[in-house]
Amino acid sequence: MDKKDLIKNPSHYTQGKIEAKTFIVDQDMTWAVGNAVKYLTRYRFKHQGEGRIQDLRKAIENIQIQIDSMM
């Protein structure tokens, strides 16, 4: 895989039948919610061990950003 592919289409982006970015745009999600969805859909494929937990924490942080913006 060349460098362009590693930036635009790394393997953890293309698991399953639909990419997270396509779903996020289709559902017209806010930035924070879209980021949470991205972390939740990719964490299993991107890291091992503590890295997975960090991505789940990032999803929580983004959800909290959305909640705070709504209050």
Side-chain angles (χ1 to χ4, degrees):
M1 187 177 291
D2 65 28
K3 287 184 181 186
K4 183 177 179 183
D5 288 337
L6 291 175
I7 293 169
K8 288 190 153 197
N9 292 309
S11 63
H12 61 277
Y13 279 27
T14 55
Q15 299 294 321
K17 295 179 182 177
I18 184 171
E19 285 190 58
K21 66 183 179 184
T22 303
F23 180 71
I24 291 164
V25 170
D26 180 68
Q27 297 299 306
D28 195 28
M29 294 181 186
T30 65
W31 174 87
V33 172
N35 268 346
V37 167
K38 176 186 73 169
Y39 284 117
L40 290 170
T41 57
R42 296 177 183 168
Y43 83 94
R44 295 176 299 147
F45 308 106
K46 187 176 174 186
H47 300 291
Q48 296 295 321
E50 183 63 30
R52 290 180 177 186
I53 294 169
Q54 288 174 356
D55 271 6
L56 292 173
R57 288 184 176 136
K58 290 175 186 178
I60 291 168
E61 180 181 2
N62 280 277
I63 291 167
Q64 189 62 56
I65 290 168
Q66 181 65 39
I67 290 168
D68 292 347
S69 76
M70 296 169 67
M71 298 184 85

